[in-house]
Amino acid sequence: MATFIENLKRKINNNLECEYIEFIDNTNLHTKHKFFDPKKYHFKLIIKSETLKKMKKIDAHKLIFSILKNEMKNNIHALEIEVI
Protein backbone atom coordinates (compact mmCIF):
# COMPACT_ATOMS: atom_id res chain seq x y z
CA MET A 1 0.00 0.00 0.00
CA ALA A 2 2.73 2.49 0.91
CA THR A 3 4.43 1.82 -2.41
CA PHE A 4 1.17 2.42 -4.28
CA ILE A 5 0.67 5.77 -2.52
CA GLU A 6 4.28 6.76 -3.17
CA ASN A 7 3.76 5.97 -6.85
CA LEU A 8 0.64 8.17 -6.89
CA LYS A 9 2.58 11.03 -5.30
CA ARG A 10 5.44 10.62 -7.76
CA LYS A 11 3.08 10.60 -10.71
CA ILE A 12 1.39 13.82 -9.55
CA ASN A 13 4.74 15.49 -8.82
CA ASN A 14 6.02 14.58 -12.28
CA ASN A 15 3.02 16.27 -13.92
CA LEU A 16 2.25 19.16 -11.61
CA GLU A 17 4.21 21.57 -9.43
CA CYS A 18 3.22 20.82 -5.82
CA GLU A 19 4.48 21.94 -2.45
CA TYR A 20 2.66 19.22 -0.49
CA ILE A 21 0.80 15.98 -1.22
CA GLU A 22 -0.93 13.71 1.30
CA PHE A 23 -3.13 10.69 0.63
CA ILE A 24 -5.46 9.49 3.36
CA ASP A 25 -6.85 5.97 2.96
CA ASN A 26 -10.56 6.04 3.85
CA THR A 27 -11.32 2.62 2.38
CA ASN A 28 -12.23 1.16 5.76
CA LEU A 29 -15.05 3.73 6.10
CA HIS A 30 -16.81 2.31 3.04
CA THR A 31 -16.80 -1.45 3.68
CA LYS A 32 -20.56 -1.59 4.25
CA HIS A 33 -21.46 0.24 1.04
CA LYS A 34 -23.48 -1.71 -1.50
CA PHE A 35 -20.85 -1.65 -4.26
CA PHE A 36 -17.76 -1.89 -2.05
CA ASP A 37 -14.84 -3.59 -3.78
CA PRO A 38 -11.95 -4.56 -1.48
CA LYS A 39 -9.59 -4.32 -4.47
CA LYS A 40 -10.29 -0.59 -4.93
CA TYR A 41 -9.36 2.27 -2.63
CA HIS A 42 -11.19 5.31 -1.30
CA PHE A 43 -8.70 8.14 -0.87
CA LYS A 44 -8.70 11.72 0.25
CA LEU A 45 -5.99 13.77 -1.46
CA ILE A 46 -4.77 16.92 0.27
CA ILE A 47 -2.60 18.87 -2.12
CA LYS A 48 -0.91 22.25 -1.97
CA SER A 49 -0.30 23.66 -5.42
CA GLU A 50 -0.37 27.25 -6.59
CA THR A 51 -1.18 25.99 -10.09
CA LEU A 52 -4.31 24.24 -8.85
CA LYS A 53 -5.31 27.19 -6.64
CA LYS A 54 -5.39 29.45 -9.70
CA MET A 55 -7.73 27.07 -11.54
CA LYS A 56 -11.47 26.62 -11.23
CA LYS A 57 -12.22 23.77 -8.86
CA ILE A 58 -13.69 21.58 -11.61
CA ASP A 59 -10.64 22.11 -13.83
CA ALA A 60 -8.25 21.30 -10.98
CA HIS A 61 -10.13 18.07 -10.30
CA LYS A 62 -10.15 17.16 -13.98
CA LEU A 63 -6.39 17.65 -14.11
CA ILE A 64 -5.79 15.37 -11.10
CA PHE A 65 -8.15 12.75 -12.51
CA SER A 66 -6.39 12.87 -15.89
CA ILE A 67 -2.98 12.42 -14.23
CA LEU A 68 -4.30 9.40 -12.31
CA LYS A 69 -6.44 8.08 -15.17
CA ASN A 70 -5.17 4.49 -15.09
CA GLU A 71 -5.25 4.27 -11.31
CA MET A 72 -8.81 5.64 -11.24
CA LYS A 73 -9.85 3.00 -13.74
CA ASN A 74 -8.15 0.06 -12.03
CA ASN A 75 -7.32 0.76 -8.37
CA ILE A 76 -9.23 3.74 -6.99
CA HIS A 77 -12.99 3.77 -6.51
CA ALA A 78 -13.27 7.26 -5.00
CA LEU A 79 -10.98 10.25 -4.72
CA GLU A 80 -11.85 13.29 -2.62
CA ILE A 81 -9.60 16.23 -3.47
CA GLU A 82 -8.81 19.15 -1.17
CA VAL A 83 -6.62 21.91 -2.61
CA ILE A 84 -4.96 23.98 0.11
Side-chain angles (χ1 to χ4, degrees):
M1 166 68 111
T3 303
F4 180 64
I5 291 175
E6 290 305 315
N7 287 339
L8 295 174
K9 288 180 180 181
R10 189 175 313 110
K11 194 167 187 180
I12 292 171
N13 268 321
N14 288 343
N15 290 280
L16 182 65
E17 217 173 292
C18 304
E19 293 82 46
Y20 176 80
I21 299 176
E22 178 184 1
F23 277 92
I24 300 169
D25 183 5
N26 289 326
T27 305
N28 63 328
L29 302 176
H30 300 270
T31 57
K32 298 197 186 307
H33 290 186
K34 184 176 180 179
F35 296 107
F36 177 75
D37 181 351
K39 298 175 193 152
K40 293 197 172 192
Y41 299 104
H42 291 73
F43 287 123
K44 178 175 184 176
L45 168 62
I46 302 171
I47 185 166
K48 183 174 183 180
S49 167
E50 290 304 316
T51 303
L52 292 178
K53 281 182 105 173
K54 293 175 185 175
M55 299 172 80
K56 291 181 182 177
K57 186 175 183 176
I58 188 77
D59 293 329
H61 285 226
K62 284 181 180 180
L63 178 58
I64 295 294
F65 281 106
S66 71
I67 292 169
L68 300 178
K69 181 180 178 179
N70 291 332
E71 291 79 2
M72 292 300 301
K73 182 178 178 184
N74 299 309
N75 308 102
I76 300 174
H77 175 76
L79 180 63
E80 177 186 352
I81 302 170
E82 180 181 343
V83 179
I84 56 173

